Amino acid sequence: MAARNGRTVRDLRRGNRTAVLQRLYFDGPLSRFELGPATGLSSGSVSNVVADLIADGLVEEAGSVDSDGGRPRTLLRVAPHSGQMIGVDVGETRVRVELFDLALTELARVERPLSPQGYDVDVITGHIREGIAEVLTAPEAEPRRLLGVGVGVPGIVEHSPDRGAVVHGQTIGWDAVPLERLLRSASPLPDEVPYLIDNGAKTLGQAEMWFGAGRGARNAVVVLFGSGVGACLVTPEVEHGRAVEWGHLTVRVRGRRCRCGAPGCLEAYAGAESLLARWREEGGRPPGDTDEETALTAMLAAAYPPEGTAPDPVALAVLEETAEYLGAGLSDLINLFQPERILIGGWAGLQLGTRFLPAVRRHAATYALRYPADKVSIDLGRLGPDAVTVGAAILPLAEFFASGGRRPEPAAEDRLPAWRAALRERIPR
């Protein structure tokens, strides 16, 4: 039966369940009395929805609180063990796969290091499949409760009705890679378990807005500063964020060649890969045969040595110039979008950390218009190096909420032994 606005009773029920689940998840524990004003639902609707969610095992009691003169009110929360999600970060130095419960507590983790030429599609898909198999055979894993697999990747992600999620990763040599189809084609997971794929900067932004330094902000930009740079824009109109290819803004005409092939991109000056290359080109000596994270640590130690030791003038000059380029790039975001907050995350951003931040703020204020610059704060993200993985796991969690708590149909009992065996076969010996 359809309501006057075209919504069916099923739509209304799903919307009510979504409202209650989200309020309990983000603001809980809450009592039934508190859920009414928080969701805009009547007390009768709240009671019915809560009863349904408890019967489904999605909501549980979490103690009680005294009321004014009456009986203590029972507090409710989303049951952390009622679902599990997998988050995958296809990063610049490794592929990280993590299993989480519904409260985003890490249950298992697998990491596969990447060589500098490690973006071969077969290598990446193999790492993802093996990582999924390994975390799902961990003691804490409950494959029947799996809500989905979220994957954060570099590049632009196109969602095609025919090919699923397709990745256009020019900087990593991916040209319309049908990643969702490739992962699904050899996956031991049941067809009903979704793969949800999006840009890594967007998943980072999602994580920081839900659980990190972005909570409470209506307009924010979350920057991913790693081997390259990217950003996610969050506004009331773009609630879940939109990835913007910020690293490929032109900051210098006829400048350094970016790994995308164009001259003068911000990423050619502000990404960790280019930062280390510039140190080398100016006569610096990055350690050989190490990954970028180790080399950047060495560069920071050279530029900012212990007191009483002379700094490496080349490393210091390159870092100071990088801070100016990064600040100038942030000024473009400030002028274009006028955000309340800019948050810097990613392994390189966190590694450069507070030592880098005062100079970046100063340069951003110099290059930006004064009015929006006076209203923005520039800080580091709070979720650490796992933020992209957490954000990727949020992709199936958001789908779970939007569906009113509908989970993929569990595998039949007689399929589970074969499923577990298939998972174990994926784990490299």
Side-chain angles (χ1 to χ4, degrees):
M1 185 174 68
R4 289 184 180 179
N5 60 4
R7 298 180 69 195
T8 66
V9 172
R10 178 178 294 179
D11 293 332
L12 293 172
R13 179 172 179 268
R14 181 174 61 244
N16 291 347
R17 284 169 62 99
T18 294
V20 170
L21 279 172
Q22 288 183 326
R23 289 284 60 79
L24 287 177
Y25 191 82
F26 290 108
D27 302 326
L30 297 171
S31 67
R32 290 172 177 81
F33 178 79
E34 292 170 311
L35 277 169
T39 61
L41 300 176
S42 68
S43 59
S45 295
V46 168
S47 294
N48 291 335
V49 171
V50 167
D52 284 347
L53 293 172
I54 290 175
D56 290 345
L58 299 178
V59 168
E60 62 186 15
E61 294 185 358
S64 61
V65 64
D66 292 336
S67 63
D68 296 333
R71 292 183 302 173
R73 293 190 178 119
T74 300
L75 295 176
L76 303 166
R77 68 174 183 179
V78 174
H81 305 298
S82 60
Q84 295 185 348
M85 302 84 64
I86 290 175
V88 180
D89 174 13
V90 179
E92 290 117 347
T93 60
R94 62 177 59 86
V95 173
R96 178 182 287 126
V97 181
E98 294 184 62
L99 176 69
F100 300 92
D101 68 11
L102 215 57
L104 285 171
T105 301
E106 181 189 302
L107 303 176
R109 169 197 294 240
V110 172
E111 292 188 356
R112 297 282 187 269
L114 295 177
S115 68
Q117 290 78 38
Y119 279 109
D120 178 86
V121 174
D122 291 337
V123 170
I124 296 296
T125 54
H127 286 336
I128 295 173
R129 292 192 200 104
E130 291 164 5
I132 290 171
E134 192 163 340
V135 297
L136 284 178
T137 53
E140 299 83 1
E142 296 185 62
R144 294 188 68 199
R145 296 187 183 274
L146 186 63
L147 303 180
V149 178
V151 185
V153 297
I156 299 169
V157 180
E158 169 197 9
H159 296 279
S160 163
D162 301 325
R163 306 171 72 194
V166 177
V167 182
H168 305 270
Q170 189 167 324
T171 59
I172 61 172
W174 285 17
D175 183 13
V177 172
L179 185 60
E180 182 179 350
R181 191 175 69 188
L182 292 173
L183 291 174
R184 176 64 67 191
S185 65
S187 172
L189 297 180
D191 291 343
E192 60 268 15
V193 177
Y195 283 91
L196 303 165
I197 300 168
D198 219 321
N199 175 271
K202 181 177 175 182
T203 68
L204 169 69
Q206 183 90 67
E208 288 289 350
M209 295 302 292
W210 277 29
F211 303 109
R215 287 204 71 177
R218 286 170 53 83
N219 299 276
V221 174
V222 183
V223 170
L224 176 58
F225 182 8
S227 183
V229 291
C232 173
L233 168 69
V234 181
T235 68
E237 295 78 27
V238 191
E239 181 183 357
H240 297 296
R242 181 179 74 233
V244 291
E245 290 296 327
W246 174 60
H248 302 289
L249 289 175
T250 302
V251 294
R252 189 166 181 173
V253 175
R254 293 186 294 276
R256 284 174 54 85
R257 186 72 58 179
C258 177
R259 58 183 181 170
C260 76
C265 292
L266 174 63
E267 189 166 292
Y269 296 91
E273 179 181 296
S274 62
L275 195 159
L276 292 166
R278 285 162 49 226
W279 184 27
R280 188 180 302 109
E281 290 164 8
E282 294 295 327
R285 289 179 289 184
D289 299 324
T290 58
D291 60 34
E292 283 183 354
E293 293 186 37
T294 305
L296 186 58
T297 300
M299 185 178 188
L300 282 167
Y304 306 105
E307 189 174 346
T309 304
D312 176 339
V314 176
L316 185 60
V318 171
L319 283 168
E320 289 177 345
E321 185 184 43
T322 300
E324 182 167 6
Y325 274 112
L326 188 60
L330 293 181
S331 75
D332 289 332
L333 297 176
I334 293 168
N335 290 342
L336 286 169
F337 303 117
Q338 302 180 29
E340 300 168 45
R341 301 177 197 173
I342 293 178
L343 306 173
I344 300 175
W347 66 265
L350 297 173
Q351 198 168 5
L352 292 168
T354 53
R355 185 181 294 279
F356 211 51
L357 208 52
V360 170
R361 289 181 179 134
R362 187 173 64 253
H363 291 304
T366 298
Y367 286 101
L369 293 170
R370 185 168 57 252
Y371 178 79
D374 287 344
K375 294 184 173 297
V376 68
S377 62
I378 302 174
D379 293 293
L380 296 178
R382 292 182 188 161
L383 298 183
D386 290 349
V388 174
T389 323
V390 172
I394 287 175
L395 296 174
L397 181 60
E399 292 278 316
F400 172 73
F401 286 149
S403 69
R406 183 183 61 82
R407 290 177 286 199
E409 288 297 321
E413 290 292 340
D414 59 358
R415 288 174 54 199
L416 285 174
W419 182 11
R420 292 194 178 99
L423 289 170
R424 290 191 180 95
E425 286 177 5
R426 291 284 177 191
I427 302 174
R429 298 294 189 263

